[in-house]
């Protein structure tokens, strides 16, 4: 609650709350974890929020926020197309491609299921492109023109400490896809970034993660609120620090 209040004040000071009040954000994978918290904090900051869930019926926490809840499986072309149809004519200012999976958790080439890598790519790399492509008319209709792809420090080739083959590769692919997106859409005034949320206490991050969900989301929202044209194509963490590719 305190963090949400501070964030609203921060956005007011930064001059973004005025825009936020008329702005619409869509967050994928918003039924739990970082996506749920982002949806809550962005609503508190004045955004009109659309939160997606694979199974909306079970998305009690998301519904409790009083936001618009929509079904979406980012790997399912029919689900993505149906979402785009339901949102026909709805302007979206900010798209947050947050849905992700941790992959196989395999640290050795000896254990890696190469064929199963495709499933991790389908969510983490292809998913954000599928959703962005389908919702481009909505983004065109909005004035924010901001695309945030939630990546990971584990995508960094420079900082790789090994392991997590498929997860790292899928997020590195996402980084490259974002780079191309930024080059293409940047010419039309879009800002597309990849952001690392920190190592966060979620189902994916686990109990020993040092960053609380609230702090991660508050940091991400602050970074998003401060995005400028020069940030297009960049890779930052939730505290706004650049991450080496
Ligand atoms: N937690 C960390 O430490 C950490 C660190 C770096 C990056 N990240 C990234 O941050 C993002 C959020 O992670 P989190 O920690 O909040 O994870 P989480 O608690 O496991 O939540 C993942 C979310 O993604 C959704 N999702 C999974 N597959 C999907 C699909 N095919 N279609 C639509 N939604 C799908 C899940 O929905 P269901 O409930 O239906 O499964 C859930 O809402 C991910 O992109 C993750 O890679 C997390």
């Amino acid at each position: 609650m305190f963090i949400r209040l501070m964030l609203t004040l921060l956005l007011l000071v930064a001059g973004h709350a005025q825009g936020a009040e008329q702005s619409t954000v869509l967050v994928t994978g918003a039924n739990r974890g970082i996506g749920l918290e982002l949806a809550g904090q962005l609503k508190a900051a004045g955004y009109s929020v659309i939160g997606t869930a694979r199974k909306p019926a079970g998305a009690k926490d998301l519904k409790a926020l009083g936001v618009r809840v929509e079904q979406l499986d980012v790997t399912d072309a029919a689900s993505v197309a149906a979402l785009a149809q339901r949102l026909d004519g709805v302007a979206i200012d900010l798209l947050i491609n947050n849905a992700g999976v941790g992959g196989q958790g395999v640290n050795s080439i000896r254990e890696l299921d190469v064929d199963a890598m495709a499933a991790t790519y389908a969510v983490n790399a292809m998913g954000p492109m599928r959703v962005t492509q389908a919702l481009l008319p909505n983004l065109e209709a909005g004035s924010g023109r901001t695309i945030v792809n939630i990546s990971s420090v584990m995508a960094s080739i420079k900082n790789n400490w090994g392991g997590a083959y498929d997860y790292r590769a899928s997020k590195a692919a996402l980084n490259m896809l974002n780079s191309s997106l930024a080059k293409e859409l940047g010419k039309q005034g879009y800002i597309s970034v990849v952001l690392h949320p920190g190592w966060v206490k979620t189902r994916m991050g686990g109990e020993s993660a040092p960053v609380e969900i609230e702090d991660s989301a508050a940091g991400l929202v602050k970074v998003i609120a401060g995005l400028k044209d020069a940030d297009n194509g960049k890779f930052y963490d939730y505290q706004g620090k650049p991450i080496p590719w």
Side-chain angles (χ1 to χ4, degrees), residues 209-222:
V211 181
E212 299 296 331
I213 299 181
E214 281 197 353
D215 296 333
S216 168
L220 291 169
V221 171
K222 189 176 165 192

Side-chain angles (χ1 to χ4, degrees), residues 28-36 38 52-55 71-76 79 97-102 119 122-124 127 131 149-154 167 170-171 174 195-206 209-211 213 216 220:
T28 68
N31 55 299
R32 62 182 164 97
I34 297 163
L36 175 65
L38 279 172
T52 75
R54 280 196 288 192
K55 294 177 183 156
Q71 196 282 333
L72 178 68
D73 182 330
V74 302
T75 65
D76 179 352
S79 166
N97 286 309
N98 162 79
V101 288
V123 183
N124 293 352
V131 175
N149 292 302
I150 301 296
S151 182
S152 169
V153 71
M154 291 175 81
Y167 182 73
S170 68
K171 291 290 190 180
L174 174 62
L195 299 182
H196 165 58
W199 179 17
V200 191
K201 237 177 232 133
T202 61
R203 203 179 296 176
M204 186 187 293
V211 181
I213 299 181
S216 168
L220 291 169

Side-chain angles (χ1 to χ4, degrees), residues 104-117 164-167:
Q104 298 172 39
V106 158
N107 292 328
S108 168
I109 183 66
R110 291 178 176 81
E111 295 158 29
L112 184 67
D113 182 339
V114 174
D115 290 326
M117 287 176 73
Y165 277 74
D166 60 332
Y167 182 73

Side-chain angles (χ1 to χ4, degrees), residues 152-153 155-160 175 235-236 241-245:
S152 169
V153 71
S156 173
I157 291 172
K158 183 166 190 290
N159 288 350
N160 185 7
N175 283 8
F235 185 18
Y236 297 120
K241 293 189 200 118
I243 300 178
W245 299 104

